[in-house]
Amino acid sequence: MKKEILKCPKCDNYTLKNQCPKCDTKTLSPKPMKYSPEDKYGKWRRTYKKNVIRN
Ligand SMILES: [Zn+2]
């Protein structure tokens, strides 16, 4: 399992928990979630397509 660092939007505290231990605010991922997963899927899709065409 991948541990992702999360950030409290209220007090800017970084934690691995879903809730800030300081103020109990729900933490959020500090990076925009779009970029890397989409890139990964793009690569995977391209590879998948290539394999399908070959076979
Ligand atoms: Zn907090």
Side-chain angles (χ1 to χ4, degrees):
M1 264 206 260
K2 187 172 96 179
K3 270 190 188 173
E4 203 175 13
I5 193 116
L6 298 163
K7 187 186 172 188
C8 171
K10 224 179 183 181
C11 61
D12 286 346
N13 184 42
Y14 286 89
T15 178
L16 293 172
K17 292 176 182 176
N18 292 322
Q19 251 186 345
C20 176
K22 283 183 187 172
C23 65
D24 287 341
T25 301
K26 206 183 171 197
T27 51
L28 304 166
S29 177
K31 293 176 201 165
M33 287 296 283
K34 272 184 185 176
Y35 182 72
S36 70
E38 266 183 18
D39 186 51
K40 249 187 204 171
Y41 272 110
K43 268 184 194 172
W44 179 83
R45 255 199 230 145
R46 262 173 263 143
T47 310
Y48 184 70
K49 257 191 188 174
K50 262 187 203 168
N51 287 340
V52 168
I53 290 164
R54 265 189 200 169
N55 297 329

